[in-house]
Amino acid sequence: MKKSLKTLFSAACLGLCAGALAPEAALAHGEKALEPFVRMRTIQWYDVAWSKAKLNVNEEVVITGRFHVNADWPRGVAQPDATYLNVSAPGPVFIRTERYLNGQSSVSSSALKLGGDYDFKIVMKARIPGRFHLHPFVNLHDAGSVVGPGQWMEVEGDASAFTNQIKTLDGSLIDMETYGLANGVAWHGFWIAIGSAWLLWWVRRPLFIPRYKMLHAGQEASLVSPLDRMIGAAIIFAVPMIVFGANFVTDLRYPNAIPLQAAMDQIDPLPPAVDVGAVQVKIQRAEYNVPARAMIMTALLHNGSDHPVRVGEFATANVRFRNPAVIQPPQGEGAVLAAREGLSIDTADPVAPGETRTIRITAEDSLWQRERLDGLIRDADTRMGGLLFLYDTAGQRYVSTVSAPVIPKFY
């Protein structure tokens, strides 16, 4: 009986250990890895949308949206002089076929201007069936990737049916899935064989201790034989000849090849879309209430428009805090990170035309903690940032970028 219980207990322990050590599917792409002040005050995403969430292999999905380059750029982050717009995915499950920045086709890195607004469009083609989480992101040189809102994509079909044909400069069609594969495998096999033969030539002899004894016995001259020197000289001569010869043959076979490009795209920002118009917002004070998980902002709002204005949304680091009292147009942007009732104003009355009023804006939700944004109060740079969306009674939207130092409150 005791033996049976012991066996059962051991099996249970092994099962628990196996479950704890079993690999889990990666459901994120490091969007929480950067410090909060980097995610809040560098690239500010908005109006991001996907053309579809379900598609088949070989079908395309179009990702569109905008981002604002915050003028209150953190001092500890390198300036956006070299950036790259891309899509984060769990492996080569999609291929990117087109990419546009402000309507201009872009394949290289680009320099962004502080305070600029940029419109982007990325076309992705489904390659492997499954359920995948995609994010657009901007890679900042010397800083990392600022990830945009994510979307789950469901791809159906057969992976073997995927095609990726392109037309070359001479007009011929090639399949990028298999083009050059045999040649690459052959060259890898060739160099592996050369390297393995060189290693085996030396490994076949006594190593380490015998050679160490010979060295201390003054017999170092006999460690390398004339045949060793001859083989070494042959390799020194043959390897460069093979490399330069193969390069010469390749140039003859493909005379119109274009090398990898190192240029930087120079793309001007769009006409200003943020901090323009008749409505201005200035944050006078910002507090983060730790127990309540709430950012409380005191703002001075001036309404120079012809219609009453209300605050509808505060967006920061892909988290959207919405005011349920304000009717807003539907958006498909990262609904999982939307606090639909997370934004409140101290007064329900809209700001009248021509009025300047001090209002109290509260963005409260557990998303501050879940997205690790509450760590802002422990950063070396505790300034917060984000986009404030305001709407008038005529349906006009105004976007203002806000930033201010944050004072933590622990009670």
Side-chain angles (χ1 to χ4, degrees):
M1 181 67 178
K2 290 184 178 180
K3 187 175 182 180
S4 299
L5 290 175
K6 186 177 180 180
T7 303
L8 183 62
F9 179 75
S10 300
C13 290
L14 287 174
L16 289 174
C17 292
L21 298 176
E24 297 182 0
L27 301 180
H29 302 111
E31 53 265 41
K32 303 178 186 179
L34 286 178
E35 293 86 349
F37 73 90
V38 178
R39 293 150 58 196
M40 298 174 76
R41 289 176 40 226
T42 53
I43 305 299
Q44 298 170 331
W45 305 83
Y46 65 103
D47 292 347
V48 178
W50 288 259
S51 61
K52 61 181 72 173
K54 294 183 178 181
L55 65 163
N56 295 318
V57 171
N58 287 318
E59 290 185 352
E60 293 182 337
V61 58
V62 181
I63 308 173
T64 57
R66 289 190 169 196
F67 60 85
H68 176 74
V69 183
N70 192 10
D72 184 23
W73 194 268
R75 288 186 58 191
V77 179
Q79 295 290 304
D81 297 328
T83 68
Y84 192 79
L85 174 66
N86 208 344
V87 175
S88 177
V93 295
F94 282 77
I95 64 169
R96 192 187 71 229
T97 59
E98 300 176 55
R99 190 185 72 160
Y100 301 91
L101 197 58
N102 287 355
Q104 178 178 332
S105 178
S106 176
V107 296
S108 302
S109 298
S110 56
L112 303 179
K113 295 184 179 180
L114 297 183
D117 295 288
Y118 295 85
D119 178 276
F120 71 89
K121 174 184 175 182
I122 304 174
V123 181
M124 306 287 290
K125 186 177 180 180
R127 182 172 181 266
I128 297 176
R131 187 170 184 263
F132 312 108
H133 203 218
L134 302 185
H135 292 265
F137 72 90
V138 172
N139 197 26
L140 304 176
H141 182 59
D142 289 336
S145 300
V146 181
V147 181
Q151 174 70 36
W152 283 102
M153 306 297 299
E154 295 185 11
V155 181
E156 298 178 348
D158 185 5
S160 61
F162 176 75
T163 59
N164 183 19
Q165 290 188 339
I166 64 170
K167 183 179 290 187
T168 63
L169 295 176
D170 60 6
S172 59
L173 286 175
I174 61 173
D175 186 359
M176 293 296 292
E177 291 293 294
T178 57
Y179 182 76
L181 179 61
N183 187 53
V185 171
W187 276 108
H188 277 77
F190 173 76
W191 291 118
I192 289 173
I194 294 293
S196 300
W198 176 253
L199 289 175
L200 289 174
W201 175 258
W202 295 100
V203 171
R204 67 184 178 85
R205 304 176 182 181
L207 294 177
F208 304 120
I209 301 301
R211 298 177 70 85
Y212 177 78
K213 290 181 178 180
M214 293 176 65
L215 182 65
H216 278 267
Q219 302 175 4
E220 61 272 9
S222 61
L223 292 177
V224 180
S225 66
L227 182 58
D228 295 335
R229 293 187 177 89
M230 184 175 65
I231 292 177
I235 290 178
I236 291 176
F237 175 78
V239 168
M241 291 297 295
I242 293 172
V243 172
F244 288 115
N247 183 72
F248 178 75
V249 172
T250 302
D251 285 340
L252 290 179
R253 187 175 180 182
Y254 305 102
N256 297 320
I258 297 177
L260 293 175
Q261 299 298 291
M264 185 84 67
D265 289 340
Q266 301 296 326
I267 300 177
D268 293 328
L270 295 172
V274 177
D275 292 330
V276 295
V279 178
Q280 289 90 37
V281 180
K282 174 69 175 178
I283 300 296
Q284 297 178 321
R285 180 183 176 88
E287 294 181 353
Y288 181 73
N289 189 309
V290 177
R293 293 177 293 192
M295 184 72 71
I296 304 168
M297 297 167 281
T298 302
L300 183 66
L301 193 157
H302 172 71
N303 181 13
S305 69
D306 298 329
H307 303 277
V309 169
R310 304 178 72 179
V311 178
E313 179 181 331
F314 173 64
T316 181
N318 300 331
V319 179
R320 303 168 61 197
F321 300 89
R322 293 181 178 178
N323 184 356
V326 178
I327 299 177
Q328 304 176 40
Q331 298 182 37
E333 177 184 339
V336 69
L337 297 181
R340 303 185 186 281
E341 298 182 359
L343 193 69
S344 60
I345 314 299
D346 60 347
T347 175
D349 298 329
V351 179
E355 180 184 0
T356 300
R357 183 193 302 176
T358 300
I359 60 175
R360 184 184 177 93
I361 306 170
T362 302
E364 180 179 359
D365 195 84
S366 61
L367 284 170
W368 286 107
Q369 183 178 14
R370 283 168 48 194
E371 295 302 306
R372 301 180 185 174
L373 295 174
D374 56 350
L376 177 70
I377 61 176
R378 292 180 290 274
D379 280 340
D381 187 340
T382 60
R383 289 182 66 87
M384 56 78 68
L387 296 177
L388 204 63
F389 297 86
L390 304 98
Y391 298 87
D392 63 19
T393 54
Q396 176 70 31
R397 185 181 74 172
Y398 302 92
V399 185
S400 294
T401 179
V402 295
S403 62
V406 176
I407 301 173
K409 186 177 181 180
F410 296 94
Y411 60 91

